[in-house]
């Protein structure tokens, strides 16, 4: 390997066995690499396999990432070259060991340093490439191999044996688009470095060479656009056992080490960051110092801000009773400016040019170099980097808090640094994810106690007006910051602040929260903020699989014990979150969807729901696991007088759940008005119990059995219940219940007998024209009081329209009729004839997606000029054409009728259409023309039930 220097651990065997965990210690030595033993690659492949995988033979189960099996083939010398992936991308957060692993692979790539093997490996550091001018590709690659230009033809001939490491792609400072501009394939042609690098990535240069690229996640999207079918591999860094071992080695006493480790583990965000060895070092250094002083280290690990701030301040703590040292004021402001510009320009390595631009002297950095806050970059001479990206982000946040004399005089070395409003901008944070972490730190530093700690340590004045600037966005009309970002970001920001008053002010306008809980960290942060949302009315929850221990049965294995301990901590946080249901008197709506709970977490949630102080009125439960969860919810709702709306929907409804639901309905305190049972497969078998419950319950007015396997036989049982004098149902939906014409006679008969039922939805059932005929016979009776009928997707044709037309002309009680998505264009004339009659009482007609064309519009126009009751006409998803729209608009101009809403599908971007819309609105100000295809996104057609 043609390398001048390479870092290895003091113990080579230790390094080799732990490289996959990507341990990187600062105490390492530099060696000149000349040869290696033949078995190194086989040994490394074996270690990689054993570290990443467990199982027998080739049946691997990967611990760290997808793509490991392909990567092992990349390392395995026995794999044919044509089967190896040509491009491998190692991605992961800062400090987890991507560079270390890449360099190790580089060592193992080459065999004995003999001329005939010609297995070559090249290392390109993007940090160094930033300072390199135009050159040839041969010059670019020959930094550590002066003879490369002469060996070029030989290299090209055997390019499949060449490995090229491109390290730190995220560090590359090039203009947008420069990597794909002027792609070059000439080995000896001088080009700017970005052109040469782009040519290599786009496979114009050395197309058969193997590329190994390292990058942080922020640059991954841009990198993928340049590569063809790369193997993406995430490097997670230190695993939990590795972190624990790190702590045990750092502390002299085991009890202190384990206490410090547990404290870091108690903060999920901090523990996740601990995959980077530098973060473990920061935590150990900070907590060890506090323990030595006899201080309680627990508050330090409460947030990431408190930990990193304590670390920073502990390096410069003034002696007790002494005043803050003024000599640190200028250096800390200079360092904060450097950190802030680096974050905004996505740079973590700084050279002399960067320092000069911000007016920073190298002497300003000395205090921080001495304390390991800042360090000289080993790969790039004359450059500096922070010990970890999080330290840089903290200092960048401090930049906004520290008052500067330059700002007071109107001058500031801001350069590329955006203001606070730009920092809060979602668009900016999407372009630069590092800004989000700066925002979290900024909220953390807004805490008065921490601000005071900064002032004492560095002697700087801290602006406390930052709070109000954070809470209001000047760029968005002084809207609350909570309306500018995702709810997850909101709760993360507020948790970092640990400021109850700030949270109350920030969340005072929030009435709904949607929480997607993916890990323990989400639960902890959300529960902290929910306690202070006094005006909250609705919570939507989605709980990812894996948060809770799914099987609660006992086990003595070490793995199970560890998981149980972790689950216990998670359940404590979950209890804290669920307590909001019994403590917030304004909270009345709970929506749980796509959630994976455990028996223990269900018991905790249901215990809070059953409390007298819980005032939930509407509850929606959809697609929740395990299946027994539905039973637990039904038990919790039994006797819950405040509950008026309940939705239970999912693929699993057991017989026991239906029995419990029936008991809920029969309870004397039951006050349910609306019940939705979706995708219920056992309801027909349990109909006797369900019918008795409906006859006993006097509060239920709306029943929705969407997508249940009711079938025609089930409808006949339902109709018997509807005829019962003690059945008080007024609104019924049987959408997608697998019904046919065979059940329509029973339904028609029931509609005559029951005079309470006013709304009926039969959408997505194959009723056909025969079924419509039978329904119309019952609807024609004066005893029938039905007002709303939904027949979307019912396979109705022009013949069905004839039956409906006759019904509408007989002074029917129907006022709302939806025939959407039936092929009735040829039957539209019959409906239009009915609309012209004075006896037609329709105020709403839905014809969305009915294949209506411009040829039908004249009939519609004629009906609209004659009708004096229709208020809403839905023609969405029909291609009417410009001519058809003109015909309708002309008719509406002539007749200033009752129509208030007209839904159409048309191209609003057309100049002609815009002109027509303007003319229509000017002539009929009360008419709203809706061009949005809202119907296509609806999951249900029975809006009248909600």
């Amino acid at each position: 390997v043609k390398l001048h220097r390479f870092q290895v651990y003091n113990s080579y065997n230790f390094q080799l066995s732990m490289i996959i965990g990507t341990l990187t210690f600062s105490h390492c030595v530099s060696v000149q690499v000349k040869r290696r033993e033949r078995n190194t690659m086989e040994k490394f492949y074996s270690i990689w396999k054993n570290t990443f995988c467990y199982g027998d033979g080739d049946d691997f189960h990967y611990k760290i990432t997808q793509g490991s099996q392909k990567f092992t083939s990349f390392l395995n010398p026995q794999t044919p070259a044509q089967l190896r992936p040509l491009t491998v991308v190692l991605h992961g957060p800062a400090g987890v060991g991507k560079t270390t692993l890449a360099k190790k692979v580089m060592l193992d790539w080459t065999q004995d340093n003999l001329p005939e093997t010609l297995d070559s490996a090249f290392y390109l550091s993007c940090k160094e490439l930033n300072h390199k001018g135009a050159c040839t590709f041969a010059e670019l690659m020959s930094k550590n191999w002066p003879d490369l230009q002469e060996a070029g033809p030989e290299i090209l001939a055997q390019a499949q044996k060449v490995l090229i490491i491109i390290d730190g792609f995220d560090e590359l400072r090039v203009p947008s688009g420069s990597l794909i501009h002027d792609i070059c394939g000439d080995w000896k042609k001088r080009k700017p470095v970005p052109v040469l690098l782009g040519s290599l990535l786009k496979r114009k240069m050395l197309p058969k060479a193997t590329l190994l690229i390292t990058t942080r996640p922020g640059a991954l999207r841009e990198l993928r656009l340049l590569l063809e079918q790369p193997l993406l591999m995430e490097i997670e860094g230190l695993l939990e056992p590795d972190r624990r071992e790190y702590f045990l080695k750092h502390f002299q006493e085991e009890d202190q080490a384990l206490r410090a480790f547990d404290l870091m583990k108690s903060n999920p965000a901090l523990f996740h960051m601990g995959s980077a060895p530098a973060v473990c070092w920061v935590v150990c250094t900070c907590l060890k110092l506090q323990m030595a002083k006899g201080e309680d280290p627990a508050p330090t690990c409460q947030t990431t801000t408190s930990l990193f701030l304590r670390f920073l301040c502990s390096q410069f703590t003034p002696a007790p009773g002494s005043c803050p040292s003024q000599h640190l004021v200028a250096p800390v402001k200079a360092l904060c400016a450097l950190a802030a510009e680096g974050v905004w320009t996505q740079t973590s390595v700084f050279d002399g040019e960067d320092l000069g631009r911000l007016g920073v002297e190298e002497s300003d950095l000395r205090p921080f170099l001495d304390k390991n806050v800042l360090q000289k970059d080993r790969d790039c001479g004359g450059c500096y980097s922070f010990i970890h990206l999080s330290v840089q982000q903290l200092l960048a946040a401090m930049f906004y808090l520290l008052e500067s004399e330059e700002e007071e005089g109107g001058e500031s070395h801001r350069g590329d640094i955006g203001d606070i409003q730009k920092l809060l901008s979602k668009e900016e944070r999407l372009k630069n994810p590092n800004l989000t972490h700066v925002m979290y730190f900024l909220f953390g530093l807004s805490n008065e106690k921490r601000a005071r700690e900064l002032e004492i340590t560095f002697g700087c004045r801290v602006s406390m007006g930052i709070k109000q600037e954070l809470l209001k966005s000047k760029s968005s009309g002084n809207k609350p910051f909570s309306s500018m970002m995702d709810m997850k970001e909101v709760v993360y920001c507020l948790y970092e602040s640990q400021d109850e008053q700030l949270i109350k002010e920030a969340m005072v306008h929030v009435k709904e929260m949607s929480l997607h809980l993916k890990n323990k960290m989400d639960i902890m942060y959300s529960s902290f903020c929910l306690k202070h949302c006094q005006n909250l009315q609705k919570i939507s929850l989605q709980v990812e699989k894996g948060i809770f221990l799914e099987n609660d049965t006992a086990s003595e294995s070490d793995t199970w014990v560890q998981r149980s301990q972790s689950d216990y901590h998670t359940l404590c946080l979950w209890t804290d979150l669920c307590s909001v249901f019994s403590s917030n008197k304004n909270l009345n709506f709970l929506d749980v969807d796509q959630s994976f709970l455990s028996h223990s977490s269900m018991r905790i949630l249901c215990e809070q729901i059953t409390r007298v102080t819980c005032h939930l009125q509407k509850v929606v439960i959809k697609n929740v696991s395990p299946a027994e969860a539905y039973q637990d919810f039904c038990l919790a709702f039994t006797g819950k007088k405040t509950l008026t709306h309940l939705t239970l929907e999912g693929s699993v409804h057991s017989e026991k759940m239906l029995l419990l639901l029936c008991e809920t309905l029969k309870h004397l305190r039951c006050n349910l008005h609306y019940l939705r049972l979706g995708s219920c497969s056992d309801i027909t078998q349990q109909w006797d119990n369900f019918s008795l419950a409906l006859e006993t319950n006097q509060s239920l007015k709306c029943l929705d059995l969407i997508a249940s396997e009711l079938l025609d036989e089930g409808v006949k049982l339902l109709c018997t219940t509807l005829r019962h004098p003690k059945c008080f149902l007024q609104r019924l939906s049987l959408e997608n219940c697998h019904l046919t014409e065979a059940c329509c006679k029973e339904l028609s008969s029931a509609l005559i007998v029951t005079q309470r039922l006013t709304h009926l939805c039969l959408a997505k059932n194959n009723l056909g024209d025969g079924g419509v005929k039978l329904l119309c016979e019952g609807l024609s009776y004066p005893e029938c009081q039905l007002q709303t009928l939904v027949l979307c997707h019912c396979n109705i044709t022009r013949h069905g329209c004839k039956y409906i037309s006759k019904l509408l002309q007989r002074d029917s009680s129907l006022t709302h009729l939806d025939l959407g998505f039936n092929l009735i264009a040829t039957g539209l004339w019959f409906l239009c004839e009915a609309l012209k009659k004075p006896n037609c009482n329709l105020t709403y007609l839905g014809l969305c997606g009915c294949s209506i064309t411009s040829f039908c519009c004249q009939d519609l126009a004629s009906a609209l000029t004659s009708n004096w009751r229709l208020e809403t006409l839905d023609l969405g998803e029909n291609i009417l054409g410009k001519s058809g729209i003109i015909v309708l608009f002309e008719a509406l101009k002539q007749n200033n009728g009752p129509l208030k809403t007209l839904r159409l599908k048309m191209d609003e971007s057309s100049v002609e259409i815009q002109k027509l819309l303007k003319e229509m609105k000017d002539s009929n100000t009360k008419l709203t023309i809706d061009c949005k295809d809202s119907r296509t996104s609806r999951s249900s057609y029975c809006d009248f039930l909600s």
Side-chain angles (χ1 to χ4, degrees), residues 253-374:
E253 298 182 23
E254 183 177 343
D255 58 337
Q256 287 188 346
L258 294 178
R259 188 189 178 200
F261 181 73
D262 289 339
L263 284 173
M264 183 175 79
K265 198 173 177 181
S266 68
N267 184 333
L270 192 58
F271 190 65
H272 177 72
M273 293 168 66
S275 62
V279 174
C280 284
W281 180 82
V282 167
V283 175
C284 289
T285 301
C286 187
L287 299 190
K288 187 176 182 180
L289 185 61
Q290 282 194 281
M291 289 179 183
K293 293 179 178 179
E295 298 174 357
D296 180 11
T300 300
C301 290
Q302 194 169 23
T303 68
T304 53
T305 306
S306 57
L307 185 281
F308 282 98
L309 180 64
R310 184 90 289 276
F311 163 74
L312 184 65
C313 292
S314 66
Q315 306 302 306
F316 303 97
T317 303
S322 63
C323 296
S325 176
Q326 292 299 311
H327 78 276
L328 287 174
V329 175
V332 76
K333 289 184 178 180
L335 194 68
C336 290
L338 189 68
E341 185 181 79
V343 169
W344 278 96
T345 59
Q346 302 189 58
T347 303
S348 59
V349 179
F350 307 92
D351 56 23
E353 184 181 335
D354 297 320
L355 302 184
R357 186 173 57 257
L358 291 169
V360 178
E361 298 292 337
E362 290 194 28
S363 58
D364 292 334
L365 305 180
R366 178 48 54 191
F368 302 97
L369 285 167
D370 293 340
K371 297 292 186 178
N372 286 326
V373 175
L374 197 67

Side-chain angles (χ1 to χ4, degrees), residues 58 72 357 375 419-420 453 468 505 517 864 919 937:
D58 293 326
T72 55
R357 186 173 57 257
Q375 57 191 6
D419 60 16
I420 288 180
E453 187 174 4
Q468 292 307 312
E505 290 182 38
L517 306 177
L864 290 174
E919 291 175 357
S937 61

Side-chain angles (χ1 to χ4, degrees), residues 653 658 661 677 680-691 703-705 708-711 714 717:
H653 285 302
L658 285 169
L661 179 62
L677 280 176
C680 191
S681 56
D682 299 326
I683 192 166
T684 303
Q685 291 85 342
Q686 293 292 319
W687 192 263
D688 287 344
N689 290 318
F690 196 64
S691 178
L703 177 63
D704 184 355
L705 299 176
S708 294
E709 294 181 18
L710 199 59
L711 307 177
L717 297 172

Side-chain angles (χ1 to χ4, degrees), residues 227-244:
L227 304 176
E228 183 178 345
Q229 296 183 329
L231 169 62
L232 302 178
M233 184 166 183
E234 182 181 3
I235 305 300
E236 291 190 349
L238 294 176
L239 302 179
E240 182 173 339
D242 302 324
R243 284 172 245 184
R244 188 175 184 273

Side-chain angles (χ1 to χ4, degrees), residues 359-600:
V360 178
E361 298 292 337
E362 290 194 28
S363 58
D364 292 334
L365 305 180
R366 178 48 54 191
F368 302 97
L369 285 167
D370 293 340
K371 297 292 186 178
N372 286 326
V373 175
L374 197 67
Q375 57 191 6
K376 287 190 175 182
D377 193 87
R378 297 187 183 95
D379 292 329
C380 191
C383 294
Y384 302 89
S385 61
F386 292 92
I387 186 174
H388 189 264
L389 181 61
S390 296
V391 174
Q392 181 180 347
Q393 291 164 347
L394 174 73
L395 288 162
M398 285 170 54
F399 173 83
Y400 294 97
L401 266 80
L402 301 180
E403 294 182 351
S404 64
E405 297 173 1
E406 289 88 353
E407 288 178 2
E408 292 169 6
E411 291 285 333
S412 175
H413 293 292
R414 277 189 173 268
D416 296 312
I417 306 172
D419 60 16
I420 288 180
Q421 302 310 320
K422 198 172 181 182
L423 177 67
L424 295 178
S425 164
K426 190 170 186 177
E427 292 74 17
E428 291 294 333
R429 288 182 287 106
L430 284 173
K431 290 188 290 184
N432 185 354
N434 287 331
L435 295 176
T436 299
H437 297 281
V438 176
M439 179 177 66
Y440 295 159
F441 279 127
L442 187 55
F443 272 87
L445 293 172
S446 68
N447 183 295
E448 291 185 17
K449 183 178 179 181
R450 294 174 190 156
R452 180 64 181 154
E453 187 174 4
L454 271 179
E455 288 183 331
I456 292 174
T457 304
F458 297 106
C460 300
R461 288 182 300 166
V462 174
S463 170
M464 291 314 298
I466 196 76
K467 283 188 182 181
Q468 292 307 312
E469 197 168 356
L470 288 172
L471 291 177
K472 296 291 181 181
S473 169
K474 296 175 183 176
S475 58
S476 300
N478 282 344
K479 291 181 180 178
F481 92 99
S482 56
S483 66
M484 298 175 57
M485 58 185 74
D486 297 332
M487 189 51 66
K488 181 177 180 177
E489 292 179 333
V490 171
V491 298
Y492 273 39
C493 287
L494 296 178
Y495 179 84
E496 279 297 314
S497 75
Q498 291 292 303
D499 187 331
E500 294 184 9
Q501 188 57 39
L502 177 68
I503 298 173
K504 289 177 182 178
E505 290 182 38
M507 304 300 282
V508 68
H509 301 292
V510 176
K511 295 184 178 181
E512 296 185 12
M513 283 185 71
S514 180
L515 301 174
H516 187 179
L517 306 177
K518 296 182 179 180
N519 47 48
K520 193 188 298 184
M521 184 164 49
D522 291 341
I523 299 177
M524 183 169 74
Y525 288 10
S526 300
S527 62
F528 181 80
C529 294
L530 282 172
K531 296 175 185 176
H532 307 292
C533 299
Q534 299 172 340
N535 296 319
L536 191 65
Q537 298 176 9
K538 177 181 178 180
I539 292 181
S540 298
L541 285 178
Q542 182 179 349
V543 183
E544 285 283 339
K545 188 173 185 178
I547 292 184
F548 300 110
L549 198 60
E550 295 177 28
N551 190 348
D552 289 331
T553 57
S555 174
E556 295 181 359
S557 68
D558 291 340
T559 304
W560 184 266
V561 171
Q562 289 174 5
R563 279 225 59 192
S564 297
Q565 290 173 349
S566 175
D567 192 56
Y568 174 76
H569 185 227
T570 304
L571 290 173
C572 291
L573 297 173
W574 176 250
T575 302
D576 211 23
L577 186 148
C578 291
S579 66
V580 71
F581 296 113
S582 59
S583 61
N584 190 329
K585 62 181 181 181
N586 294 314
L587 190 58
N588 57 52
F589 197 152
L590 170 63
D591 184 346
V592 185
D593 190 11
Q594 299 288 341
S595 293
F596 296 85
L597 303 174
S598 63
H599 300 299
S600 299

